[in-house]
Amino acid sequence: EVQLVESGGGLVQPGGSLRLSCAASGFTFSSYWMSWVRQAPGKGLEWVANIKQDGSEKYYVDSVKGRFTISRDNAKNSLYLQMNSLRAEDTAVYYCARHLGYSYGPWGQGTLVTVSS
Amino acid sequence: DIVMTQTPLSSPVTLGQPASISCRSSQSLVHSDGNTYLSWLQQRPGQPPRLLIYKISNRFSGVPDRFSGSGAGTDFTLKISRVEAEDVGVYYCMQATQFPWTFGQGTKVEIK
């Protein structure tokens, strides 16, 4: 069964840092682009970042450029999101998702990041 | 970025009756490879999104045949032929034709 499990979320003060992880199983992780997508409380979906199979290409939404870093470890079947200089507007559930070329699937259960003092 | 606009934003439906959601893109979703990368996602309450339909009308693995997609160019529709209780949730259209991939604002389907 294809599965994605996120971890690392929590409560952090503005300006703080968090590192999210996503453990993948049930498929050949190294063969797929991967993404982070977030959903603010009660809001819609927003793509955050994605990374090529070998990590050689990375892209970010403008609002997180210079603050967030996406990475992966294919030997560990894991995806990461290092989030620095966090702001209140970064508060959201963060999902990791596999690229299918035409959409995302599956999605993990998500991990909640709350930025508040 | 391509803007995706859904209507309605809320759709109260009677169990067993059909439901329809529209999605319009700010520009054509026809890719240079000839495909149209428009998909539909379902998000049940408290759950992550789940892929239902891809490339306009293809049902993803395990999706019931009461869900169907149609459309072309910039105008697309998701139809549920007979709404069941488990269909309650928010439905998103999404385009993967042009980077960055973008989502509609979501349509909430609820039972009357």
Side-chain angles (χ1 to χ4, degrees), chain B residues 12 14 16 21 25 31 36 49-50 56 59 66 75 78 87 93 101 106 112:
Chain B
T14 302
I21 301 169
S25 57
H31 193 274
T36 300
R50 163 199 178 200
I56 302 178
R59 276 188 299 277
R66 65 179 180 275
D75 289 282
L78 174 70
D87 299 335
C93 60
W101 295 2
K112 281 183 183 176

Side-chain angles (χ1 to χ4, degrees), chain A residues 3-63:
Chain A
Q3 197 169 14
L4 299 169
V5 179
E6 300 93 337
S7 60
L11 174 63
V12 61
Q13 292 188 338
S17 298
L18 274 178
R19 188 194 195 209
L20 306 184
S21 299
C22 171
S25 60
F27 66 101
T28 305
F29 180 73
S30 59
S31 295
Y32 291 86
W33 281 77
M34 296 294 296
S35 282
W36 288 98
V37 179
R38 67 184 177 184
Q39 186 171 36
K43 302 296 184 183
L45 301 165
E46 179 186 40
W47 165 77
V48 174
N50 58 12
I51 185 168
K52 195 176 180 180
Q53 290 93 328
D54 62 358
S56 61
E57 294 182 37
K58 305 175 184 181
Y59 301 95
Y60 302 91
V61 67
D62 285 347
S63 59

Side-chain angles (χ1 to χ4, degrees), chain A residues 63-83:
Chain A
S63 59
V64 309
K65 282 180 183 174
R67 300 189 297 123
F68 289 13
T69 302
I70 189 171
S71 62
R72 65 191 295 162
D73 185 335
N74 289 339
K76 294 183 177 179
N77 291 334
S78 292
L79 177 71
Y80 306 101
L81 186 67
Q82 177 66 45
M83 305 186 295

Side-chain angles (χ1 to χ4, degrees), chain B:
Chain B
D1 297 1
I2 296 178
V3 177
M4 307 296 289
T5 303
Q6 292 180 227
T7 54
L9 297 184
S10 179
S11 179
V13 295
T14 302
L15 286 173
Q17 293 301 303
S20 180
I21 301 169
S22 294
C23 175
R24 177 167 290 178
S25 57
S26 60
Q27 56 189 274
S28 174
L29 297 186
V30 179
H31 193 274
S32 56
D33 65 6
N35 290 304
T36 300
Y37 294 106
L38 184 282
S39 57
W40 291 94
L41 309 173
Q42 175 196 59
Q43 187 173 32
R44 292 169 171 156
Q47 295 294 312
R50 163 199 178 200
L51 178 60
L52 289 180
I53 302 282
Y54 64 95
K55 289 196 283 187
I56 302 178
S57 59
N58 296 276
R59 276 188 299 277
F60 195 61
S61 175
V63 175
D65 61 7
R66 65 179 180 275
F67 291 94
S68 64
S70 62
T74 61
D75 289 282
F76 307 93
T77 302
L78 174 70
K79 291 183 179 177
I80 310 173
S81 59
R82 296 172 304 279
V83 171
E84 299 187 4
E86 66 180 17
D87 299 335
V88 165
V90 180
Y91 291 78
Y92 296 91
C93 60
M94 193 201 103
Q95 67 83 20
T97 292
Q98 181 184 107
F99 187 79
W101 295 2
T102 50
F103 303 89
Q105 67 270 61
T107 295
K108 187 173 185 179
V109 171
E110 52 194 355
I111 305 301
K112 281 183 183 176

